[in-house]
Amino acid sequence: MGGALSAALGYALVIGNLAAAAALMAWGARTSPVALMGATLGGFIARLAVLAGIVLAVAQLEFFEPVPIAITIVASHLGLLVWEIRYVSLRLAAPGLDLPRPGKEQK
């Protein structure tokens, strides 16, 4: 039961981390390019510190299992990163272009 709770906490941390990253980058993009760069780098460091602090605080609880939460956090971040890279690299390769969709006739 402790492993399942630890894994669920790991998923919640990953989702919260990615939501915070999106919110910070959206704010930075609306503000200025310098704010975007600062929010991206500073936000990464701050979010990493918050994640470490939460894991260290929860480590004192009885249900905590370090291996399931570590595997969940690492695998989820890497899996979501690979999934996101496919879409971001596709958009960056042809910015502003309407990408062809399978089954649609090209003009």
Side-chain angles (χ1 to χ4, degrees):
M1 188 64 172
L5 289 173
S6 295
L9 175 64
Y11 281 125
L13 289 174
V14 168
I15 291 169
N17 184 27
L18 294 176
L24 278 171
M25 284 187 232
W27 170 83
R30 285 190 307 269
T31 305
S32 71
V34 174
L36 177 60
M37 289 186 282
T40 303
L41 179 59
F44 173 74
I45 294 168
R47 289 188 333 266
L48 189 62
V50 168
L51 283 176
I54 290 172
V55 170
L56 290 174
V58 173
Q60 307 303 318
L61 299 178
E62 189 175 313
F63 73 87
F64 182 79
E65 295 288 335
V67 173
I69 196 169
I71 291 171
T72 302
I73 288 174
V74 170
S76 297
H77 271 104
L78 290 176
L80 289 171
L81 179 66
V82 168
W83 177 76
E84 183 181 17
I85 284 174
R86 288 184 30 218
Y87 294 101
V88 170
S89 65
L90 184 62
R91 294 289 179 213
L92 291 176
L97 297 178
D98 186 22
L99 298 174
R101 294 190 179 101
K104 285 192 133 184
E105 184 179 318
Q106 295 292 322
K107 293 183 182 180

